Amino acid sequence: MAVAEPESAAPVPAFEHHDEPYCQPRKAEADLGRQSKQLAEDECGLVAPDRLAQTITEFVEWRAFSYWLRLTVETQGFVSDPMIAILRERCPGFLDYASAFTKEHPREPEFLWLRFLEWTDERLFHVSIAEGWRHALGYYATRDPRMDQIRAHWKQCRRAWKLQPPASFPSFEAWRESALQHR
């Protein structure tokens, strides 16, 4: 049964389908992915495999901390006194770094977790940068199954906590343990 269009309906524009323009971004993305993989593989020659594996574990741990930090601060809407104490204990110098950035960039939104990622890269993973294997570290760490678990748990918590924030926030260790149980 055909449905008649109302007379006042605007004509629907006809789109020509060209395979080439739609394939170019996918091809470009695939090319970029191949280049990134090749760079990571090349950089692996600059670091011993066991050192890379250990550094990936450390990288994943600090990224997990950054997800927990982001989740907690964004849910609360501020950096609580207990969080300040945790940051001072675990990350000496970070709050000064974040404060200096805010003073230097007063018009930029304050994303504490982004400042944390920058700080960890500069302070904790500077050796991989100096020795030329930082790309390999990031490439393999972001593909580590633990990162998938952490990201999935962060997304799940973010959705749930937007609807109903927890009565008390979990410690990082408890949150990470829960994340690594996430399937």
Side-chain angles (χ1 to χ4, degrees), residues 111-175:
F111 294 116
L112 191 65
W113 61 275
L114 278 177
R115 301 295 75 78
F116 184 77
L117 293 177
E118 293 167 358
W119 184 84
T120 56
D121 276 358
E122 292 174 13
R123 301 299 191 290
L124 305 175
F125 301 106
H126 64 279
V127 172
S128 65
I129 295 168
E131 293 180 358
W133 51 276
R134 173 58 180 85
H135 183 81
L137 173 60
Y139 181 87
Y140 293 111
T142 58
R143 287 157 180 79
D144 188 293
R146 295 169 293 184
M147 281 302 300
D148 293 336
Q149 292 172 294
I150 290 163
R151 278 189 294 263
H153 187 62
W154 172 77
K155 287 178 183 177
Q156 179 184 359
C157 289
R158 188 175 189 204
R159 281 190 301 270
W161 293 10
K162 276 186 178 185
L163 298 174
Q164 181 65 49
S168 64
F169 290 88
S171 68
F172 166 64
E173 292 76 14
W175 185 85

Side-chain angles (χ1 to χ4, degrees), residues 43-59:
E43 288 183 5
C44 279
L46 301 173
V47 59
D50 58 332
R51 184 171 177 211
L52 178 60
Q54 177 59 38
T55 308
I56 286 170
T57 295
E58 293 167 11
F59 188 92

Side-chain angles (χ1 to χ4, degrees), residues 11-30:
V12 177
F15 293 100
E16 292 183 38
H17 179 67
H18 298 285
D19 287 335
E20 191 60 30
Y22 296 105
C23 292
Q24 283 178 344
R26 290 189 181 132
K27 182 183 179 319
E29 289 169 2

